[in-house]
């Protein structure tokens, strides 16, 4: 019997080592194919290899290196970013240069450097590496070029710190990675207080001064202690109005790990194991509490949707639950021989497979992108490729330097590739100035715009407000709970200087989405008709009204979200 058990464990350890090697190869292939695409093909092919918001980081890093100014593009200074990711990109920009191609390669390489770091520390701490490597690829929204890729590495270091000083240092790195990761630190203290009956808050002696310094720097340079991007998302928000929809979307990410955890608990009960025998119960609980703390924040203080890279807490929960499955398999194989043990092992293997299978799909998709790129007709129409086409149009037209452009959502790659010879106003406010945020917060965004000498206004929507030959463009457009802040600018149809209408291939999972994308001559801006103003006010005063009208795919009739909105509106919980 012992011989069988020893053989089982021997085979298990060999399989783990093989999987670790295999996962490292996958990461190398994934990274190499991405770099090959970036180096070998026009940016039109690979512009969507990172998310559009990552280009805001690159534009600001470029200005930090070249001009020593925290600005996405002239003329506005901004602090609309998470500090550590920008600092790293600024440092690499100083070392490797600030050309468009170099900066994109730097960002892509830094992303995979932290994928490798997480895999390394996972192997050192938990003796298993493949789960971390494949988890990143399976949840690819974490490695889309945004700051969330930093969090898993610092989470492991923070949770396993040997003393309070190191815990304070790694807690500070967590905070600087994303401000909402303060929830991890608080969640850890809650867990240790209520479950472990231990209280040790000395790490705050390091963390609180770091927070104070960060806030002081922001206040000194920008007159606000926190990023303008987060503040802009809170403009016009009715307290907790976004909780029911934003919270629902955030909680959906917990459904699958909850199902897996239930399977684990059932097997524990069947085997008469104790729940406290779980190896990663503390990590799972801490990540889950952090997830709910983030839910409270985004549901009450933010009026915007939940974006993909906000799901870092869900990523951590999935990672540790999958790791728990692997450890439970090892425990079952080390237990007395039983036919049912192998049934349980088979179930857990299926769970791991379905959790990590998207990693293989993601890699194959990236390889297919490289193969099809050689075909001149392979460039798919997305808002990213349309941004590059617009940049090429501007250069071809030889528009003079300092030409002033305005654009809201989806402007990251446009502004980055356009470059600093032009001026740019971000109507969403995420990388705009403190003054614009303050104007929006007093419902005077349009007054702010009226003082700008904008030459071209770029808009990308499914629907516009239209009356006769007048098109109404609402800005900002993404807020769900935003009863003040949004405003409308109007243009005659004959002011359209470039029609970029397209069928967005990147959103095919929503069906055939047809976007009306126009470049308006902003000098021909006109007065909005009274009927259009009335319709705008109705949308503005209605939860989700502006976004749902502009992007009908976001909340479809008869969907759960739509029915939930109507229900909560009927009982007066939202407006």
């Amino acid at each position: 019997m012992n011989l069988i058990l020893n053989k089982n464990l021997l085979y298990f350890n060999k399989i783990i080592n093989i999987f670790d090697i295999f996962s490292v190869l996958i990461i190398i292939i994934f990274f190499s194919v991405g770099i090959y695409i970036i180096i070998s093909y026009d940016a039109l092919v690979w512009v969507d290899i990172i998310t559009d918001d990552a280009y805001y980081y690159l534009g600001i890093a470029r200005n930090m290196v070249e001009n020593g100014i925290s600005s996405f593009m002239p003329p506005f200074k901004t602090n609309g970013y998470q500090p550590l990711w920008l600092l790293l990109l600024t440092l690499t920009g100083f070392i490797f240069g600030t050309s468009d191609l170099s900066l994109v390669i730097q960002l892509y390489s830094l992303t995979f450097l932290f994928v490798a770091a997480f895999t390394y520390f996972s192997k050192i701490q938990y003796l298993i590496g493949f789960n971390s490597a494949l988890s990143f690829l399976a949840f690819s929204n974490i490695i889309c070029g945004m700051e969330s890729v930093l969090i898993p590495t610092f989470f492991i270091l923070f949770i396993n710190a040997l003393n309070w000083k190191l815990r304070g240092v790694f807690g500070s790195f967590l905070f600087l990675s994303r401000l909402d990761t303060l929830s991890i630190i608080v969640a850890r203290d809650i867990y240790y207080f209520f479950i472990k009956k231990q209280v040790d808050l000395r790490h705050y002696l390091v963390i609180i001064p770091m927070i104070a310094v960060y806030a002081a720097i922001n206040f000194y340079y920008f007159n606000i202690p926190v990023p303008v991007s987060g503040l802009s998302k809170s403009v016009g928000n009715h307290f907790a109005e976004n909780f029911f929809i934003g919270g629902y979307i955030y909680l959906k990410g917990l459904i699958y790990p909850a199902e897996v955890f239930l399977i684990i608990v059932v097997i524990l009960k069947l085997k008469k194991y104790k729940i406290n025998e779980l190896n990663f119960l503390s990590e799972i609980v801490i990540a889950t509490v952090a997830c709910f703390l983030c839910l409270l924040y985004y549901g009450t203080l933010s009026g915007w949707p939940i974006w993909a890279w906000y799901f870092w807490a869900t990523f951590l929960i999935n990672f540790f639950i999958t790791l728990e499955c692997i450890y439970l398999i090892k425990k079952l194989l080390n237990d007395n021989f039983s036919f049912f043990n192998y049934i349980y092992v088979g179930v857990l293997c299926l769970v791991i497979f379905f959790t990590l299978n998207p990693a293989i799909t993601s890699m194959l998709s990236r390889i297919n992108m490289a193969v099809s790129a050689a075909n001149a007709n392979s460039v798919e129409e997305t808002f990213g490729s349309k941004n590059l086409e617009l940049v090429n149009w501007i250069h071809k037209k030889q528009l003079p330097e300092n030409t002033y452009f305005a654009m809201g959502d989806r402007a990251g790659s446009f502004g980055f590739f356009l470059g600093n010879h032009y001026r740019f106003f971000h109507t969403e406010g995420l990388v705009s100035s403190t003054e614009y945020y303050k104007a929006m917060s007093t419902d005077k965004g349009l007054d702010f715009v009226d003082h700008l000498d904008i030459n071209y206004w770029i808009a990308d929507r499914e629907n516009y407000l239209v009356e006769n030959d007048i098109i109404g463009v609402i800005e900002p457009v993404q807020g769900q709970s935003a009863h003040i802040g949004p405003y409308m600018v109007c243009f005659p149809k004959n002011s359209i200087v470039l029609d970029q209408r397209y069928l967005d291939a990147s959103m095919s999972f929503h069906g055939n989405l047809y976007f009306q994308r126009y470049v308006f001559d902003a000098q021909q801006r006109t007065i909005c008709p009274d009927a259009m103003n009335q319709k705008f006010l109705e949308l503005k005063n209605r939860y989700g009204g502006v976004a749902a009208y502009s992007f009908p795919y976001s909340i479809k009739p008869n969907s759960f979200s739509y029915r939930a909105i109507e229900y909560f509106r009927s009982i007066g919980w939202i407006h």
Side-chain angles (χ1 to χ4, degrees):
M1 183 64 67
N2 288 333
L3 181 62
I4 294 175
L5 295 178
N6 289 335
K7 282 186 176 180
N8 285 341
L9 288 179
L10 180 64
Y11 290 144
F12 174 84
N13 290 329
K14 283 185 176 180
I15 290 173
I16 291 297
N17 289 332
I18 291 172
F19 278 9
D20 285 348
I21 295 171
F22 177 65
S23 66
V24 170
L25 290 175
I26 286 181
I27 290 292
I28 292 173
I29 292 172
F30 201 105
F31 170 72
S32 301
V33 169
I35 292 295
Y36 169 76
I37 294 171
I38 294 170
I39 293 174
S40 302
Y41 299 104
D42 188 273
L44 274 169
V45 173
W46 52 258
V47 61
D48 298 314
I49 204 168
I50 58 177
T51 192
D52 192 68
D53 282 39
Y55 288 104
Y56 294 126
Y57 274 106
L58 294 182
I60 297 169
R62 176 172 58 197
N63 269 301
M64 290 290 287
V65 174
E66 294 181 354
N67 305 309
I69 299 174
S70 181
S71 170
F72 175 58
M73 287 180 67
F76 296 110
K77 295 180 182 179
T78 187
N79 69 342
Y81 47 80
Q82 303 294 336
L84 184 55
W85 195 229
L86 180 71
L87 176 62
L88 292 172
L89 289 166
T90 302
L91 290 174
T92 60
F94 270 115
I95 298 171
F96 299 106
T98 57
S99 70
D100 294 351
L101 189 63
S102 177
L103 283 170
V104 172
I105 291 174
Q106 290 167 42
L107 182 140
Y108 196 77
S109 300
L110 272 175
T111 296
F112 278 88
L113 177 64
F114 278 91
V115 172
F118 182 54
T119 303
Y120 171 77
F121 286 116
S122 177
K123 181 67 174 177
I124 295 297
Q125 188 66 40
Y126 309 126
L127 306 179
I128 296 171
F130 78 90
N131 180 44
S132 52
L134 295 184
S135 290
F136 265 122
L137 302 188
F139 299 90
S140 56
N141 52 6
I142 303 297
I143 56 169
C144 59
M146 296 297 285
E147 71 284 335
S148 50
V149 74
L150 303 171
I151 297 171
T153 297
F154 293 128
F155 181 88
I156 288 182
L157 295 173
F158 172 75
I159 292 297
N160 297 287
L162 298 177
N163 56 61
W164 67 267
K165 294 177 183 178
L166 282 176
R167 195 161 61 245
V169 169
F170 295 130
S172 298
F173 280 133
L174 275 172
F175 168 77
L176 295 174
S177 297
R178 268 191 69 92
L179 272 58
D180 58 4
T181 57
L182 272 177
S183 60
I184 292 174
I185 301 165
V186 174
R188 184 258 177 205
D189 296 331
I190 291 173
Y191 175 80
Y192 271 79
F193 179 77
F194 287 103
I195 307 299
K196 296 275 191 175
K197 309 299 181 184
Q198 299 175 15
V199 180
D200 183 3
L201 304 179
R202 289 176 295 175
H203 44 275
Y204 287 107
L205 295 174
V206 179
I207 296 170
I208 290 177
M210 175 62 72
I211 294 174
V213 168
Y214 171 74
I217 291 173
N218 275 282
F219 197 82
Y220 179 81
Y221 285 104
F222 305 102
N223 295 315
I224 51 173
V226 293
V228 71
S229 49
L231 292 175
S232 295
K233 294 174 185 177
S234 69
V235 171
N237 171 48
H238 284 184
F239 182 79
E241 187 177 48
N242 205 35
F243 183 84
F244 305 102
I245 303 306
Y248 160 71
I249 294 171
Y250 203 67
L251 285 176
K252 274 204 314 184
L254 295 180
I255 293 175
Y256 182 77
E259 292 171 345
V260 175
F261 191 74
L262 181 61
I263 292 171
I264 292 172
V265 170
V266 169
I267 293 175
L268 290 176
K269 290 292 184 181
L270 291 173
K271 290 295 298 179
K272 297 182 178 180
Y273 296 149
K274 295 180 179 179
I275 192 75
N276 58 11
E277 293 183 39
L278 291 173
N279 292 274
F280 305 104
L281 184 61
S282 60
E283 288 88 346
I284 293 170
V285 171
I286 290 169
T288 303
V289 172
C291 185
F292 278 96
L293 290 175
C294 287
L295 165 64
L296 288 174
Y297 168 74
Y298 289 116
T300 57
L301 299 180
S302 175
W304 275 42
I306 307 297
W307 301 118
W309 48 94
Y310 294 12
F311 287 84
W312 54 262
T314 307
F315 168 87
L316 291 172
I317 296 167
N318 275 277
F319 167 75
F320 282 107
I321 283 182
T322 308
L323 205 57
E324 195 69 68
C325 288
I326 298 169
Y327 269 69
L328 184 52
I329 289 173
K330 184 176 181 179
K331 185 177 180 64
L332 289 167
L333 292 176
N334 196 36
D335 204 349
N336 292 327
F337 178 80
S338 165
F339 171 76
F340 288 103
N341 275 16
Y342 289 97
I343 297 293
Y344 303 147
V345 168
V347 170
L348 292 170
C349 286
L350 283 174
V351 167
I352 295 170
F353 172 78
F354 283 115
T355 303
L356 301 181
N357 180 58
I360 306 299
T361 304
S362 182
M363 185 189 71
L364 293 177
S365 174
R366 187 61 55 89
I367 293 174
N368 181 64
M369 181 180 177
V371 172
S372 62
N375 185 342
N377 298 318
S378 67
V379 177
E380 296 182 323
E381 286 194 324
T382 66
F383 69 81
S385 67
K386 289 298 176 180
N387 279 344
L388 268 294
E389 289 177 9
L390 178 54
V391 170
N392 292 337
W393 177 84
I394 291 168
H395 291 160
K396 185 177 180 180
K397 294 279 288 186
Q398 296 183 329
L399 295 181
E401 294 184 3
N402 291 321
T403 299
Y404 211 145
F405 298 90
M407 186 177 179
D409 191 44
R410 308 179 171 190
S413 54
F414 167 70
F416 172 71
F417 286 103
L418 184 62
N420 286 333
H421 296 301
Y422 299 92
R423 291 182 295 168
F424 178 78
F425 168 57
H426 190 234
T427 62
E428 294 283 355
L430 303 188
V431 289
S432 287
S433 64
T434 304
E435 290 72 25
Y436 180 54
Y437 153 69
K438 291 179 178 178
M440 286 199 299
S441 63
T442 55
D443 220 11
K444 294 182 179 178
L446 187 58
D447 292 341
F448 186 91
V449 170
D450 286 340
H451 288 87
L452 304 178
D453 188 22
I454 295 171
N455 300 110
Y456 296 96
W457 200 291
I458 305 152
D460 194 337
R461 309 280 192 271
E462 279 188 272
N463 286 333
Y464 294 91
L465 290 175
V466 179
E467 185 172 335
N468 297 323
D469 67 338
I470 304 298
I471 298 176
V473 180
I474 303 173
E475 301 285 3
V477 76
Q478 287 291 354
Q480 299 292 326
S481 179
H483 299 282
I484 65 172
Y487 53 88
M488 183 169 63
V489 291
C490 291
F491 304 94
K493 289 182 179 179
N494 60 15
S495 69
I496 297 174
V497 296
L498 183 64
D499 185 335
Q500 288 191 296
R501 285 176 289 183
Y502 65 103
L503 188 67
D504 196 335
S506 68
M507 306 185 76
S508 58
F509 52 88
H510 285 295
N512 292 326
L513 294 183
Y514 189 73
F515 286 87
Q516 303 174 68
R517 180 187 175 103
Y518 302 122
V519 179
F520 297 98
D521 179 353
Q523 302 296 307
Q524 296 188 45
R525 202 180 116 199
T526 189
I527 297 173
C528 298
D530 291 340
M532 189 181 291
N533 279 325
Q534 184 60 38
K535 176 65 175 177
F536 163 61
L537 289 176
E538 291 175 4
L539 294 174
K540 179 181 176 182
N541 292 325
R542 186 180 178 90
Y543 175 83
V546 169
Y549 182 86
S550 304
F551 302 110
Y553 76 85
S554 60
I555 303 179
K556 293 183 178 180
N558 300 321
S559 67
F560 176 86
S561 298
Y562 182 87
R563 292 196 300 270
I565 288 174
E566 293 305 310
Y567 171 74
F568 288 123
R569 182 176 287 119
S570 69
I571 62 177
W573 284 11
I574 63 175
H575 294 80

